[in-house]
Amino acid sequence: MSAPTVTVTREDAEDFLYQEAMLLDEWHLDAWLALFEEGGTFEVPTTDYQGWDRTGGGFFVLDDWDLLQARVKRLKSRKAHAENPHSRTHRMVTNVRVIRGAEGIELKANFLINRFRDQTHHTYVGRYHHDVVLNDEGELKFLHRRAYLVHELLEPGARLSFIL
C-alpha cells in the first residue's frame, strides 16, 4: 500500500507567503525563521543573474542555515546599524503558483516591496522561487528561499539591509 499523496493547493501557498510577508513587515524575525526547515537556505542573486549555481556567480545574499540564523540575530540587535531602527516595509505578493515535480514542491510568486527609511522610499520588484516541504505537522517550510530582483540595478540608497 502506498503512502497517501499530500496536496499543496494554491490557497495553501498563498496563505504561507502572505503570512511570511506579514511577519517580515511586522519585524517578527524569530517567527519568520521558524518558517524554515532546519538546514534551509536563503539566496538573493545579483541583478545580472544568468542562472548560475551557488558557486558560479554573484549574490547579494547567500546564506546557509548558520548564516541565516546569524542574520536574524544581527538584525534583532543594535549591531545592525543599517536597520537600527528597522525599515518600515509593505509587501505585496502576487501571481502565486505551486509547481509539483520530481524534485518536490516549488512555490513561485511575484513581489513588490515598498521600503521606507531615513525619509526616503525605495521599491523592490522581483520574483520568488522557493523549494518547500510539508513537515510532519502538515505545515509548509522553506528548504531554499530565493528572491530574484528584476531591476537592472538598484538606485542609490536602495540597500539590501533588510530581508527581501
Side-chain angles (χ1 to χ4, degrees), residues 3 17 21 45 54 65 71 86 99 114 125 139 149 153 162 164:
L17 294 175
R54 295 174 62 91
W65 182 242
R71 178 179 302 276
H86 63 81
I99 293 94
N114 289 292
V125 180
E139 302 167 320
L149 289 166
L153 55 90
F162 68 105
L164 270 183

Side-chain angles (χ1 to χ4, degrees), residues 118-159:
D118 298 329
Q119 300 178 0
T120 62
H121 166 254
H122 297 283
T123 302
Y124 301 82
V125 180
R127 63 187 186 279
Y128 290 132
H129 291 201
H130 305 316
D131 296 327
V132 297
V133 293
L134 282 167
N135 67 10
D136 292 337
E137 290 79 40
E139 302 167 320
L140 283 170
K141 297 285 185 177
F142 291 117
L143 282 176
H144 305 290
R145 184 186 185 277
R146 297 176 195 93
Y148 298 92
L149 289 166
V150 297
H151 302 256
E152 290 180 2
L153 55 90
L154 293 177
E155 60 191 14
R159 299 182 303 256

Side-chain angles (χ1 to χ4, degrees), residues 24-37:
L24 289 171
D25 283 347
E26 295 178 1
W27 211 250
H28 297 298
L29 299 181
D30 289 325
W32 174 75
L33 187 61
L35 296 177
F36 282 80
E37 184 77 5

Side-chain angles (χ1 to χ4, degrees), residues 65-132:
W65 182 242
D66 292 335
L67 287 173
L68 184 55
Q69 291 176 88
R71 178 179 302 276
V72 167
K73 181 178 179 181
R74 186 177 65 254
L75 284 170
K76 290 176 14 182
S77 76
R78 296 182 149 270
K79 294 178 183 175
H81 66 277
E83 286 297 325
N84 184 19
H86 63 81
S87 298
R88 289 176 296 136
T89 57
H90 179 80
R91 298 161 195 274
M92 290 179 271
V93 178
T94 65
N95 298 45
V96 176
R97 284 126 20 241
V98 179
I99 293 94
R100 295 165 199 84
E103 301 294 315
I105 303 166
E106 184 178 14
L107 305 184
K108 292 187 176 186
N110 295 332
F111 68 83
L112 184 137
I113 303 171
N114 289 292
R115 177 179 180 240
F116 304 91
R117 180 165 181 78
D118 298 329
Q119 300 178 0
T120 62
H121 166 254
H122 297 283
T123 302
Y124 301 82
V125 180
R127 63 187 186 279
Y128 290 132
H129 291 201
H130 305 316
D131 296 327
V132 297

